[in-house]
Amino acid sequence: NAGVTQTPKFRILKIGQSMTLQCTQDMNHNYMYWYRQDPGMGLKLIYYSVGAGITDKGEVPNGYNVSRSTTEDFPLRLELAAPSQTSVYFCASSYSENEKLFFGSGTQLSVL
Amino acid sequence: GQNIDQPTEMTATEGAIVQINCTYQTSGFNGLFWYQQHAGEAPTFLSYNVLDGLEEKGRFSSFLSRSKGYSYLLLKELQMKDSASYLCAVMDSNYQLIWGAGTKLIIKP
């Protein structure tokens, strides 16, 4: 099992550009999450999904969008990149809502 | 508001024991997690406590007191590879995880 696969690992965007962060898991987990991690702060939940076709906002959803067309995939879309979106992004999955999270390797995104 | 507090940084010596504390104030409680995160890597699961008491797993142990809103992670026989950040996270009444900022543990030879 590959676990949670997240791409790309690094990306530099110009202000106003768009991009999609890809996330796929092969553990048949229903729950998937997108977090951002900024220096000196705890992980912040952007969006989450409890199953295919179901998504919901987390703590910091502004400027992002997600979709969940299959159990395996949960891409994160940035439409108009802003410097405030410079961060490290992690995708994660879990079997159920109170089970441990499995994380992808992370994406370091810089918006300049 | 909901809050998780843990020390920003700690230093310990190889072979010694270190205790990393975590205090929390959340809307309800459905469990507390500890994760380890090496620099530039993703967090990995260490432990989960939902009932009061001590959970032991090899060199690592985690303690929970729900009445005090307090947990600690105990690392014994420290090794250089234990140099990492340790993240405390509490699951609230809505099953949302609230994360602490993490404690950076520096191990010296």
Side-chain angles (χ1 to χ4, degrees):
Chain A
N1 286 352
V4 181
T5 302
Q6 185 181 335
T7 58
K9 287 190 182 299
F10 303 95
R11 186 71 186 268
I12 297 174
L13 285 180
K14 293 182 179 179
I15 295 172
Q17 285 186 320
S18 301
M19 76 163 295
T20 300
L21 281 66
Q22 302 292 345
C23 177
T24 187
Q25 53 90 11
D26 62 358
M27 297 174 282
N28 202 33
H29 285 169
N30 286 321
Y31 289 73
M32 295 190 73
Y33 312 83
W34 275 105
Y35 285 97
R36 59 178 288 171
Q37 186 175 40
D38 299 301
M41 299 183 68
L43 289 161
K44 299 295 184 185
L45 182 64
I46 304 171
Y47 270 96
Y48 68 100
S49 169
V50 301
I54 305 169
T55 62
D56 212 343
K57 296 178 180 179
E59 186 180 359
V60 290
N62 290 346
Y64 308 93
N65 272 302
V66 294
S67 59
R68 184 92 182 273
S69 56
T70 67
T71 299
E72 294 78 18
D73 299 309
F74 190 43
L76 177 72
R77 178 83 177 161
L78 284 73
E79 287 295 346
L80 292 170
S84 61
Q85 293 176 306
T86 294
S87 188
V88 179
Y89 292 84
F90 287 103
C91 177
S93 72
S94 64
Y95 179 70
S96 68
E97 58 191 351
N98 61 343
E99 297 262 344
K100 64 183 179 183
L101 299 178
F102 293 83
F103 285 86
S105 57
T107 298
Q108 188 169 327
L109 175 68
S110 296
V111 182
L112 305 174
Chain B
Q2 308 203 88
N3 195 49
I4 309 287
D5 284 317
Q6 49 181 134
T8 302
E9 187 175 295
M10 299 181 71
T11 302
T13 304
E14 190 177 15
I17 299 173
V18 70
Q19 177 175 312
I20 302 174
N21 295 325
C22 170
T23 58
Y24 63 89
Q25 291 177 308
T26 57
S27 303
F29 179 85
N30 278 304
L32 185 145
F33 294 82
W34 284 96
Y35 285 81
Q36 181 189 58
Q37 185 177 24
H38 286 101
E41 298 183 7
T44 56
F45 170 79
L46 285 178
S47 68
Y48 171 67
N49 295 69
V50 66
L51 299 175
D52 290 351
L54 188 69
E55 295 276 346
E56 296 185 83
K57 195 183 294 185
R59 293 188 300 114
F60 291 11
S61 302
S62 57
F63 172 83
L64 174 67
S65 169
R66 288 172 296 170
S67 63
K68 295 183 179 178
Y70 167 70
S71 172
Y72 67 73
L73 182 69
L74 192 71
L75 290 74
K76 302 176 185 175
E77 301 169 14
L78 285 169
Q79 302 175 9
M80 297 305 292
K81 67 178 182 179
D82 298 329
S83 291
S85 289
Y86 291 86
L87 313 181
C88 175
V90 175
M91 186 159 283
D92 69 11
S93 57
N94 294 320
Y95 290 92
Q96 298 289 326
L97 270 178
I98 312 301
W99 294 82
T103 298
K104 182 178 181 180
L105 178 63
I106 299 167
I107 310 295
K108 295 186 174 179

